[in-house]
């Protein structure tokens, strides 16, 4: 939980033109741009180095993430870390964030208004991080970049998207929770992370 003083709904009115992650996150943790601030334990800004080899974008924090303030720390996080190892990556080499930074009640899907209210945080992180590749995890993350994109059709197929004036490679994958729900997908998921390792030279 942030010790910052409370702020009124709608803060910040505009996203800060921050020069660093620390400066950006200091404002983000006080965000009240959508109604999720009323039920969250805390904002989950994202975690990782300022010059990551990969930017991974998920959907929204779950209960464990809401409690600990770090994305992907539950069962999905454990699976993600094992898949990163297949790609020749460690967690401390990647930056992990979500489309929505506050936990939706009962882990429901983020609503359009919530994703829109949060969109500028991810755009600012991309500007600051300047990642060589973005990996989306699940439908919500994919559609943040390709609004009509279908994860079943585009998974593990390299795309090109324009973000913050830059054309970046985007590699869509299923969310780890989908693989936990259907373990028969694990081998293909592992293969797809192996392909990611080839793309980044891991």
């Amino acid at each position: 939980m942030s010790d910052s003083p409370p702020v009124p709904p709608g803060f910040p009115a505009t996203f800060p033109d921050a020069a660093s992650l620390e400066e950006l996150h200091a404002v983000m943790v006080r965000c009240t741009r959508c109604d999720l601030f009323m039920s969250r334990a805390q904002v989950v800004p994202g975690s990782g180095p300022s010059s990551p080899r990969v930017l991974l974008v998920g959907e929204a924090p779950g209960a464990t993430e809401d409690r600990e303030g770090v994305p992907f720390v539950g069962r999905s996080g454990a699976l993600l870390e094992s898949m990163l190892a297949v790609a020749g990556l460690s967690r401390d080499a990647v930056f992990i964030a979500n489309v929505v930074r506050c936990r939706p009640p009962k882990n429901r899907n983020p609503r359009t208004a919530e994703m829109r209210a949060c969109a500028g945080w991810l755009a600012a992180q991309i500007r600051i991080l300047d990642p060589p590749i973005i990996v989306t995890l699940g439908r919500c993350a994919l559609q943040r970049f390709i609004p009509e994109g279908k994860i079943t059709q585009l998974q593990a197929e390299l795309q090109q998207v324009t973000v913050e004036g830059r054309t970046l490679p985007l590699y869509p994958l299923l969310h780890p929770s989908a693989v936990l729900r259907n373990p028969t997908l694990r081998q293909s998921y592992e293969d797809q992370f192996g392909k990611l390792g080839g793309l980044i030279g891991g």
Side-chain angles (χ1 to χ4, degrees), residues 155-171:
Q155 62 178 316
E157 296 296 331
L158 196 64
Q159 310 295 310
Q160 299 292 325
V161 294
T162 301
V163 186
E164 291 295 290
R166 261 194 77 197
T167 299
L168 292 168
L170 183 140
Y171 189 64

Side-chain angles (χ1 to χ4, degrees), residues 122-138:
L122 182 58
Q125 285 177 322
I126 291 171
R127 175 179 54 78
I128 294 167
L129 293 168
D130 194 23
I133 187 170
I134 298 172
V135 175
T136 55
L137 301 170

Side-chain angles (χ1 to χ4, degrees), residues 57-62 65 71-72 75-77 79-80 83 96-99 109 135-142 151 155 172-182 185 189 192-193:
V57 181
E59 179 178 289
E65 290 82 4
F72 285 91
R75 292 178 64 225
S76 288
L79 176 58
L80 179 60
M83 293 297 105
I96 307 176
N98 283 305
V99 171
N109 289 335
V135 175
T136 55
L137 301 170
R139 176 182 59 83
C140 286
L142 170 62
I151 186 62
Q155 62 178 316
L173 293 173
L174 293 174
H175 194 282
S177 63
V179 181
L180 291 173
R181 289 192 299 269
N182 184 358
L185 298 172
Y189 205 48
Q192 291 166 359
F193 270 91

